[in-house]
Amino acid sequence: MKIIDAKVIVCSPGRNFVTLKIVTDDGLVGWGDATLNGRELSVASYLKDHVAPCLIGRDPHQIEDIWQYLYKGAYWRRGPVTMTAIAAVDMALWDIKAKVANLPLYQLLGGKSRAGCLVYGHANGASIDDTIEAVERHLEEGFKAIRVQTGVPGLAKVYGVGQPNGFYEPATKGLPQESIWSTDKYIQHMPKLFEALRDRFGPDLPLLHDVHHRLTPIEAARLGKMLEPYHLFWMEDATPAENQDAFRLIRQHTTTPLAVGEVFNCIWDCKTLIENQLIDYIRTSVTHTGGISHMRKIAALAELYQVRTGSHGPTDVSPICMGAALHFDISIPNFGIQEYMAHEPLVNEVFPNSYRFENGYMVPGDEPGHGVTMDEALAARYPYDPAYLPIARLEDGTLWNW
């Protein structure tokens, strides 16, 4: 069997996606997600101009060799563009291999380690009362774990909170939008949110919160300490993790569980965090971290240190990523939780899929492969539409972490 074509498809059915289609001489097709929010065309170019020509004529069964070829062979390693491109190839090749075997992908990864994958939804509100209502809606929908974000008095915009009654999407058309951030206002307000949530929903509902890299390590330590009475499932992305040792300071001051890694691209980004048990959940995603092959290595390292996975999975990755992620999630022994935001109906039409949400859990389909395809004709009706992620500044104008 040989690869005879590798096609890059960019479309925007409500938001931008980059898809890789690999075709073999036997007529089999494998699909990979290469979406990098706000930088989609960079990955599309890397795939089309540099990666795709190197795939033609290769044996698609040689997944690990092709992965190493694309990683080591390029000399310039790592980074979000390179690793997202490699991830798309990896997903597509695993899809093909499972189709050859006529098995759902999780069977090739060792079979199921659980019946379903616990997922969390996003309950966001402009006020604490609005957030409580959003949590109630998620519970009615069947979610068993919920991430909560709320507006902060004195700040016009806050991460995770969209327009009233609107579906949250961080990327916006045109040049990047800017917002003002105040750490002091945020830290003082968050305990009030979780006090209200525990008063309303009791102690047992798993609640998660995303700081989105906004705090310094000592500020994150302070917030984690303040939130301990409300026993969060996790506090996510408390501080930028380029300096992995920064989490050592946070860990010294709070027992609030810590999660990080949605912007990580490889195992080296999280090696120190895992080996020193400075985090409880690693949030690397199939699309942005080299695909299933590399995610399995990260999960195996994390298992040694009792760190569980909690992979990134919002609507800025395509259903192909979600399909591949669920096969990975259901197979590994140290799965923790999976982020899940339902795509708009049009997206599911462009990317027909077989996974399903059942009573708080996601379950991958049992058809051969990872269970997600693409309607190319429909996708062609929605061309690329430029969009950027926002930018945050402190109240004095200093550029800050969005």
Side-chain angles (χ1 to χ4, degrees), residues 145-277:
I146 302 171
R147 194 196 81 170
V148 291
Q149 311 290 136
T150 193
V152 175
L155 298 180
K157 297 180 180 179
V158 175
Y159 167 75
V161 180
Q163 299 298 317
N165 302 318
F167 188 81
Y168 180 68
E169 166 58 56
T172 55
K173 310 304 179 185
L175 294 177
Q177 294 186 1
E178 297 192 9
S179 60
I180 300 299
W181 173 253
S182 169
T183 295
D184 288 340
K185 290 183 175 70
Y186 165 77
I187 289 180
Q188 293 300 323
H189 192 60
M190 283 306 105
K192 299 174 185 177
L193 168 65
F194 285 96
E195 180 181 17
L197 289 168
R198 287 303 178 205
D199 285 346
R200 173 65 180 83
F201 299 105
D204 298 328
L205 175 63
L207 295 174
L208 303 80
H209 179 65
D210 187 359
V211 181
H212 220 248
H213 313 103
R214 300 293 180 92
L215 306 182
T216 66
I218 197 64
E219 290 167 347
R222 177 186 173 202
L223 179 61
K225 189 72 173 178
M226 294 169 72
L227 295 180
E228 282 180 11
Y230 312 110
H231 49 92
L232 274 61
F233 185 96
W234 77 34
M235 182 171 70
E236 175 186 339
D237 291 344
T239 194
E242 287 96 337
N243 174 16
Q244 296 181 41
D245 279 330
F247 277 74
R248 198 179 306 278
L249 178 61
I250 305 173
R251 197 63 131 180
Q252 290 170 350
H253 292 281
T254 181
T255 58
T256 295
L258 302 174
V260 75
E262 72 177 46
V263 299
F264 290 177
N265 309 126
C266 73
I267 197 168
W268 303 105
D269 294 335
C270 51
K271 179 177 180 289
T272 297
L273 291 166
I274 292 172
E275 290 180 340
N276 290 277
Q277 296 177 276

Side-chain angles (χ1 to χ4, degrees), residues 36 57 124-125 144 158 185 231 283-284 294 303 325 340 354:
L36 184 62
N124 312 319
K144 296 181 180 297
V158 175
K185 290 183 175 70
H231 49 92
R283 300 205 62 246
T284 48
H294 201 58
E303 183 188 3
Y340 172 60
S354 59

Side-chain angles (χ1 to χ4, degrees), residues 123-137 149-150 164:
N124 312 319
S127 67
I128 290 176
D129 288 343
D130 289 343
T131 304
I132 290 174
E133 292 179 4
V135 171
E136 289 174 339
R137 290 194 298 271
Q149 311 290 136
T150 193

Side-chain angles (χ1 to χ4, degrees), residues 3-24:
I3 297 171
I4 61 170
D5 191 25
K7 179 181 179 182
V8 181
I9 305 165
V10 181
C11 66
S12 187
R15 70 151 350 271
N16 293 316
F17 297 107
V18 181
T19 305
L20 177 66
K21 176 185 180 181
I22 293 181
V23 183
T24 73

Side-chain angles (χ1 to χ4, degrees), residues 13 32 118 153 211 228 243 273 279 296 305 338 344 347 351 375:
L118 179 66
V211 181
E228 282 180 11
N243 174 16
L273 291 166
I279 57 173
R296 293 178 78 194
Y305 299 95
Q338 170 69 52
E344 296 281 8
V347 175
F351 297 95
D375 184 332

